[in-house]
Amino acid sequence: MPTQTRAAIVTGSSQGIGAAVAERLAADGLAVVINYSSKADPAEALVRKIEAAGGQAIAVGADVSDPAAVANLFDRAEQAFGGVDVLVNNAGIMKLAPVADTSDELFDQTIAINLKGVFNGLREAARRLRDGGRIVSFSSSVVGLYQPTYAAYAATKAGIEAISHILSKELGPKGITVNVIAPEPVATKLFLDGKSDDDIKPIVGRTPLGRLGEPEDIARAVSSWSPLTAAGSTAKCSAPMAASSEGDARWLRLHS
């Protein structure tokens, strides 16, 4: 029988925001499942880093758009740690194009990973998360700003918000909170790829602190909802942010 300990699954966590979240949750005392889609080496390196710092972690490959792969992700967590207490839906892609130039392939891939992938995680968590657990997913500041070229991406993030509102009501009786974080732009490969300095400068100029967010800002926000560091679902975060609440779901809109 596996030893039972508090455990978190963080999808897409071999680099960027996901890696920062996984490290923070491990430092908070949770065992962490590092999920990757294709490249195992960065995930295994992160496992070694967490273990060297005294934490517990395993790396598991899974394509979040595949329901069977997501189920196996939970299977592996349960085998290693006895159950799952936290799900962080981080995996996603950002491919931008005007609506007129958006191919079927781009649209379908964005929906499959960003929306269906999160739904697969939410559904599995609804079935298997231990009572008192936490679910955190990521929306984006593009929901509400609606900039050109973000149609497919923004649609997936708006969908995540809608599903999370509903799921929070369904899981409330089990003491499971369902939260969404909507960051402003964060300095990650996902955001920076394909953008020139001239593209980024006006974006930075619109932020209150005159800088892009950092993955560690987001990790602190996720940590604030960890079952080991938070009571209930009240937001407690040192990153610059605005918070809003509708129904039983809590939103953080992070501004850096």
Side-chain angles (χ1 to χ4, degrees):
M1 290 289 291
T3 301
Q4 183 168 304
T5 187
R6 294 290 186 96
I9 293 172
V10 184
T11 67
S13 51
S14 62
Q15 62 182 349
I17 291 172
V21 169
E23 281 195 73
R24 178 60 186 250
L25 294 181
D28 289 343
L30 283 90
V32 181
V33 178
I34 310 298
N35 163 244
Y36 63 92
S37 61
S38 58
K39 297 180 180 179
D41 288 350
E44 296 289 356
L46 182 57
V47 168
R48 291 192 294 271
K49 183 178 180 182
I50 288 172
E51 290 177 339
Q56 299 180 71
I58 60 171
V60 180
D63 175 359
V64 296
S65 69
D66 178 357
V70 173
N72 181 65
L73 190 59
F74 277 75
D75 289 342
R76 292 287 303 278
E78 290 172 351
Q79 291 162 9
F81 305 121
V84 182
D85 301 277
V86 177
L87 171 66
V88 181
N89 283 308
N90 171 75
I93 61 172
M94 181 188 292
K95 296 186 177 182
L96 308 180
V99 171
D101 299 328
T102 298
S103 66
D104 290 341
E105 180 183 11
L106 185 156
F107 185 83
D108 291 346
Q109 184 185 34
T110 302
I111 295 293
I113 296 173
N114 289 13
L115 186 56
K116 183 60 164 37
V118 170
F119 177 81
N120 289 337
L122 294 175
R123 180 172 58 189
E124 206 65 32
R127 294 168 174 170
R128 301 170 70 168
L129 215 64
R130 290 190 282 222
D131 287 1
R134 303 286 186 264
I135 298 172
V136 180
S137 301
F138 289 105
S139 180
S140 169
S141 60
V142 303
V143 178
L145 295 176
Y146 304 120
Q147 303 105 311
T149 75
Y150 281 87
Y153 182 78
T156 64
K157 297 303 183 179
I160 289 168
E161 292 193 8
I163 296 169
S164 297
H165 274 297
I166 293 165
L167 187 60
S168 70
K169 296 174 174 62
E170 294 174 353
L171 295 184
K174 297 174 69 176
I176 296 172
T177 62
V178 182
N179 301 302
V180 175
I181 295 173
E184 291 283 354
V186 179
T188 63
K189 186 175 184 293
L190 178 71
F191 174 74
L192 296 173
D193 272 2
K195 295 183 177 69
S196 67
D197 289 343
D198 288 341
D199 293 328
I200 295 170
K201 187 175 180 179
I203 295 172
V204 170
R206 291 194 295 268
T207 63
L209 296 184
R211 68 169 177 88
L212 294 175
E214 296 293 339
E216 291 72 21
D217 295 330
I218 314 306
R220 285 194 295 271
V222 174
S223 174
S224 74
W225 281 318
S226 161
L228 300 187
T229 60
S233 59
T234 302
K236 298 178 294 182
C237 176
S238 57
M241 69 180 183
S244 62
S245 173
E246 297 181 32
D248 298 318
R250 305 281 175 150
W251 263 246
L252 289 184
R253 297 201 179 275
L254 300 183
H255 306 283
S256 46

